[in-house]
Amino acid sequence: MKLRSTETFWPLQSAMKISYPSIDSNINTEILIVGGGITGALIAYKLINEGKKIVLVDRRDVCNGSTAASTALLQYEIDVPLHELIKLRGTKCAVDSYSNGKKAIFDLRHIVDTIKSDCQFEFKKSIYFSSVKKDIPFLKNEFKARKQNGFDVSWLGKYELKKMGLNALAAIESKTAAVMDPYKLANDLFKYCQKKGLQIYDRTNITSVQHQKDKCIAATENKCTITANHVIYCSGYESVETLTEKVVDLKSTYVIASENVPDLSTAFKNAIFWDTASPYHYFRSTADNRIIVGGGDEEFRDAKKRDKLIPKKEQYLLKQFQKKFPGITFKIDYSWAGTFGETKDGLPYFGKPDPKKNEHYVLGFGGNGITFSVIGMNSILDSLENKKNTDLEYYRFGR
C-alpha cells in the first residue's frame, strides 16, 4: 500500500543521515518488529532498554511511510470527544484514555530529552473551537465532561479568540499539547537503539509468518527467514494486510505547509488549533515559522485517486485557513496526501488478536497515532509476558 504521496515536509527538512541494509541471510532473534516508523522506533526503544535482542524490518526506507506524512499534533484529546467516548466505552475507559494521552505527551518529552533529540519538540496549548452556532451546545457538553473529570480546561469566547487572530465563536482551551518533527525523532531513536544492539533492515518485505512450536518464522521477499520468539507489528494502516478482523476504516487526508511567515504572532505560535467540523481541520506552526493546515478527509479508495485530489484539496485547505485566520497571509510551499484510519471508538488496538500466537500489534490509529504509540510502548512488555494490563484490556482486539 502506498501510504503517502509527493515530497512531504519532514524528510526534506531532516534528511536521513544513516542508511540501513536489506536482509541477505537467515537470522535468529528474540523479537522481530515489523514497521520502521515512529511506532516501531518507540517499541524498539522500550525493549532495547529492557535488554531484549531485537531485529526491526521495514519494506521501504525506515521512517518513510506514514511517519514522514504525519503532522505530529500531540494531544491527549482523542478524535472521539470525551462526552461521546463515555457513552461508547464507559466513564473509566474514556477518562483513562484521555489521561493516558496526557501522560504520553510528558513521557515523550522525557524520551526526547534522554536521547538528546533535536526534533523541535515544543509544548503548546490546544484550542478546540467552533465557527458555527449549531456546534456550541456540543462544545459546551464537551467542556462540562472534561471539567467534571478533572481536566484543566478553560472556556474562550469570541473576543478572546479574536485576540489570537482566530475567527470563531467559542473554544475549549487545554493546557497540555505539543508538536514536533516526527521524522527526526524516529531517526534519532533508531540511531540510539542501534548503538544498543538493535539490528535494522529496511527494503525488507515480510511475505508470511509461520508458527513452529513456540517460534515465529517470518519469510522475506528475497527468501530469507527471521526466526523469533515474538513478532510485533508496528505497521500502522498496512496492518489491514495481516489482520483478519476489520478494525479500521481507511481515509485519505491532505496537508499544506506555508512559506516562512516572519511576523507570525506569539498567540498563534503558542497553540495548536482544531475545529468541530466533521471531518475536522487543524492548524499549527513549525519551529521555522511555517504554518501547517490539514484536513479535507475522504474515504480511501486507492493512492492514485487520493493523489489526484491534491490540487483541489490545496485550495480547499487554503480557503479554510483564510476563513479562520483572515489576518495571516498563507503562501503554499508544500502539499501532500497521506492515508490514515479511524476506529469505531477512536481508540487504538494493542496486544494479540489470537491468544495462541505470539504475534502482537501496536496500532495507534487516528489523529493521536504518536501518543497512542507511547501508550502502547508502556504496555508491550505485559503483552509479551502474557500479564494482565488495563490498557491491553481497553484496547484489545474483538472489543
Side-chain angles (χ1 to χ4, degrees):
M1 184 189 298
K2 188 181 178 188
L3 290 172
R4 63 183 182 85
S5 59
T6 71
E7 291 298 328
T8 60
F9 178 66
W10 303 116
L12 296 175
Q13 177 169 286
S14 307
M16 190 165 60
K17 297 177 181 178
I18 301 174
S19 60
Y20 302 100
S22 60
I23 199 166
D24 61 4
S25 62
N26 296 338
I27 293 176
N28 285 275
T29 188
E30 185 178 358
I31 296 166
L32 168 63
I33 297 175
V34 180
I38 186 67
T39 304
L42 286 165
I43 297 301
Y45 173 81
K46 175 69 175 181
L47 295 178
I48 208 76
N49 283 327
E50 294 289 334
K52 304 294 185 183
K53 184 180 178 183
I54 311 166
V55 169
L56 181 143
V57 301
D58 196 291
R59 61 171 45 155
R60 54 179 70 81
D61 292 325
V62 296
C63 308
N64 273 269
S66 295
T67 295
S70 170
T71 49
L73 274 70
L74 308 175
Q75 300 168 269
Y76 70 79
E77 297 136 306
I78 292 165
D79 288 350
V80 175
L82 180 61
H83 72 278
E84 292 185 351
L85 189 58
I86 287 171
K87 295 175 184 176
L88 284 172
R89 297 296 310 275
T91 300
K92 191 172 190 318
C93 175
V95 173
D96 283 356
S97 295
Y98 269 64
S99 298
N100 285 345
K102 186 174 181 178
K103 179 179 180 295
I105 296 171
F106 291 97
D107 287 348
L108 197 58
R109 179 55 188 260
H110 178 72
I111 293 169
V112 169
D113 291 342
T114 299
I115 69 170
K116 297 178 171 58
S117 172
D118 57 346
C119 64
Q120 302 170 359
F121 185 104
E122 295 180 84
F123 282 110
K124 305 277 185 178
K125 296 177 181 178
S126 170
I127 308 297
Y128 184 38
F129 69 90
S130 173
S131 298
V132 293
K133 285 184 180 180
K134 68 179 179 65
D135 286 352
I136 300 300
F138 165 90
L139 202 61
K140 286 182 176 179
N141 285 338
E142 181 62 10
F143 178 73
K144 182 180 178 182
R146 294 200 206 169
K147 271 289 189 183
Q148 286 179 339
N149 288 285
F151 294 97
D152 186 6
V153 290
S154 302
W155 183 265
L156 303 180
K158 186 175 181 179
Y159 176 72
E160 293 162 296
L161 296 173
K162 189 174 182 180
K163 289 197 292 185
M164 295 181 176
L166 174 59
N167 180 24
L169 300 177
I172 300 170
E173 179 188 85
S174 300
K175 303 297 188 290
T176 304
V179 298
M180 68 172 185
D181 174 344
Y183 183 84
K184 185 67 170 66
L185 177 60
N187 274 294
D188 288 348
L189 281 166
F190 284 132
K191 182 179 178 181
Y192 172 92
C193 292
Q194 189 182 44
K195 288 180 180 178
K196 284 182 161 279
L198 174 67
Q199 295 180 64
I200 304 172
Y201 299 94
D202 57 17
R203 303 284 175 163
T204 297
N205 188 30
I206 301 296
T207 56
S208 67
V209 176
Q210 304 297 323
H211 297 268
Q212 291 184 9
K213 295 182 180 179
D214 58 347
K215 297 291 184 181
C216 305
I217 303 172
T220 69
E221 206 165 51
N222 64 343
K223 310 303 181 186
C224 295
T225 60
I226 305 168
T227 302
N229 297 337
H230 299 270
V231 177
I232 305 173
Y233 293 94
C234 301
S235 45
Y237 310 116
E238 289 178 314
S239 62
V240 297
E241 299 173 12
T242 53
L243 286 170
T244 55
E245 177 187 351
K246 184 183 177 183
V247 297
V248 65
D249 291 318
L250 296 182
K251 306 283 184 178
S252 297
T253 193
Y254 299 85
V255 186
I256 55 174
S258 74
E259 295 179 1
N260 175 279
V261 183
D263 57 348
L264 196 58
S265 70
T266 301
F268 187 91
K269 290 192 289 186
N270 284 347
I272 60 177
F273 302 85
W274 55 304
D275 65 17
T276 55
S278 182
Y280 62 84
H281 311 94
Y282 54 89
F283 315 86
R284 60 158 285 198
S285 63
T286 66
D288 60 345
N289 273 25
R290 298 174 187 266
I291 300 167
I292 291 176
V293 180
D297 302 347
E298 301 271 352
E299 294 293 328
F300 177 80
R301 291 177 177 83
D302 61 65
K304 287 183 179 180
K305 289 183 178 179
R306 177 196 65 196
D307 297 352
K308 281 182 179 179
L309 288 173
I310 290 176
K312 178 182 176 182
K313 294 295 183 178
E314 282 181 357
Q315 296 308 307
Y316 168 80
L317 291 173
L318 180 59
K319 286 179 181 178
Q320 291 299 318
F321 180 81
Q322 290 169 336
K323 287 179 185 176
K324 306 300 190 298
F325 297 95
I328 302 175
T329 300
F330 190 113
K331 295 180 180 178
I332 298 174
D333 208 7
Y334 298 93
S335 61
W336 65 91
T339 300
F340 81 110
E342 295 176 342
T343 63
K344 58 189 175 184
D345 55 11
L347 297 175
Y349 279 84
F350 300 156
K352 298 164 71 172
D354 184 344
K356 297 177 182 178
K357 295 180 180 178
N358 285 335
E359 293 186 66
H360 312 256
Y361 285 78
V362 180
L363 303 175
F365 294 132
N368 301 71
I370 296 174
T371 51
F372 283 158
S373 295
V374 176
I375 297 168
M377 177 191 75
N378 292 331
S379 61
I380 190 61
L381 277 175
D382 285 344
S383 184
L384 294 174
E385 296 170 5
N386 285 319
K387 292 182 178 178
K388 289 187 176 181
N389 180 291
T390 302
D391 289 344
L392 292 176
E393 180 60 28
Y394 285 157
Y395 313 132
R396 62 182 174 82
F397 290 85
R399 62 178 185 256

